[in-house]
Amino acid sequence: MYVRNNIANGNLKAKHWKHVKLGVCRPSLAEGRMPIPRAMAVKWNPPEHPWLKLNTDGAFSESTGRAGGRGIIRDHSGRLIAAFTAPLDAHSTLEAELLAMHHGLLLAREFAQPIWVESDAAQAISLAKGSGWGPAHSRRAMAHLALHRRYGDFRISFTLREGNKAADLLAKMGLEIEEQTRFNNQTTPRLLKAILRMQEMGIPNIRVCDEDLVVDSIPR
C-alpha cells in the first residue's frame, strides 16, 4: 500500500528502483497459537423449598490406603443445617465418593425433607444416576445408594469443583481423623464459615481454563 501510493503521487520514480528487487517471504509453517485463558464464574445454587442440598466429596490415598468422606447440608436460604467428615472403608476414589454420598444421606434423612445430592465427581454421579452397578469394588456403596433412592424424594446432580468448594475444604480432615465428626453452626471451622457465607450471598468462585479445554463434563 505504501509503495503503490508513493508511485501514484510521483514520489517514487524509476531511478529509485534501480538495482532493487522486490519479493514476498512466506513462512513455511504457521505460527502456533497459544491457548487463550478463559474465566468463568461458578456459583453454588441453593435448592428450592423444602429441599435440602447435600454437597459431598470423597478421597482415597493410594500411598496410605486411607479414605475419607465429607458433606455439607444446607437449606433453601443457604443456611448450614449440618456438616460431617469421616474416615471410610474404601479401596478407590470412586468408592470413596459414593460412600460419602451414602453417609451424607444418612445424616440428611434425620431432617425428614427431600434431599438433593450434588458432587463434582463426574464418574460417581453418572453411576449413581444410572441403572448399572459399576465395577465390583463400588457395588457395596451402590447398594446403599439404591436403598436411598427408594424414598422417592431424592435428586442428584453434577457441579464443577468451584461450585463444591465448601465440601472440598473438608477433604484433608476426612483422611486424618479416626472417627466421624459432625459440625453445626457453632462448631464449624472458621474458614468453612467464611466460604458458606460467601456462597449464601451468591458470590461465585472463578474457574480458569484454556480456550480449547472442554469444561462441560456434566454427566448426561
Side-chain angles (χ1 to χ4, degrees):
M1 182 68 72
Y2 170 81
V3 173
R4 187 184 67 180
N5 290 341
N6 279 276
I7 291 175
N9 295 332
N11 296 328
L12 290 177
K13 300 180 181 179
K15 63 180 181 180
H16 297 134
W17 296 97
K18 189 176 182 179
H19 305 302
V20 174
K21 294 182 179 180
L22 297 179
V24 177
C25 179
R26 296 177 56 187
S28 58
L29 294 175
E31 294 184 4
R33 183 174 63 89
M34 296 296 293
I36 301 174
R38 285 185 174 181
M40 59 184 295
V42 182
K43 291 176 60 177
W44 176 84
N45 296 307
E48 64 272 19
H49 181 75
W51 286 74
L52 299 177
K53 179 174 275 192
L54 165 66
N55 285 85
T56 64
D57 186 42
F60 173 75
S61 172
E62 292 187 359
S63 60
T64 64
R66 303 185 68 175
R70 46 268 178 196
I72 297 174
I73 303 168
R74 285 170 281 184
D75 64 12
H76 65 282
S77 68
R79 181 176 63 92
L80 175 67
I81 303 298
F84 78 94
T85 182
L88 299 174
D89 180 18
H91 302 87
S92 69
T93 300
L94 174 61
E95 187 179 13
E97 294 282 6
L98 295 170
L99 287 175
M101 295 179 195
H102 165 58
H103 283 267
L105 285 165
L106 289 177
L107 178 58
R109 291 293 178 196
E110 296 180 11
F111 305 101
Q113 291 179 241
I115 304 166
W116 179 354
V117 179
E118 190 173 69
S119 171
D120 59 20
Q123 184 182 5
I125 291 293
S126 180
L127 189 58
K129 292 175 67 175
S131 58
W133 290 91
H137 67 268
S138 69
R139 293 178 184 178
R140 175 173 61 99
M142 286 299 298
H144 290 309
L145 292 179
L147 294 175
H148 288 295
R149 294 177 67 172
R150 291 184 179 181
Y151 285 92
D153 51 356
F154 177 80
R155 185 187 304 174
I156 188 166
S157 66
F158 172 83
T159 185
L160 294 171
R161 182 169 296 276
E162 289 76 10
N164 203 38
K165 191 171 182 179
D168 286 341
L169 181 64
L170 298 173
K172 292 183 179 179
M173 295 180 62
L175 291 173
E176 295 170 356
I177 65 173
E178 299 295 334
E179 60 184 16
Q180 181 165 330
T181 302
R182 181 169 173 174
F183 303 101
N184 54 35
N185 281 316
Q186 288 70 42
T187 60
T188 301
R190 182 178 299 179
L191 182 55
L192 178 57
K193 282 185 178 181
I195 293 176
L196 293 175
R197 179 58 178 161
M198 290 175 64
Q199 291 185 335
E200 184 179 350
M201 295 169 63
I203 299 174
N205 293 304
I206 303 301
R207 178 181 180 89
V208 179
C209 57
D210 291 339
E211 181 183 27
D212 299 326
L213 182 64
V214 178
V215 297
D216 185 18
S217 57
I218 302 176
R220 303 302 181 185

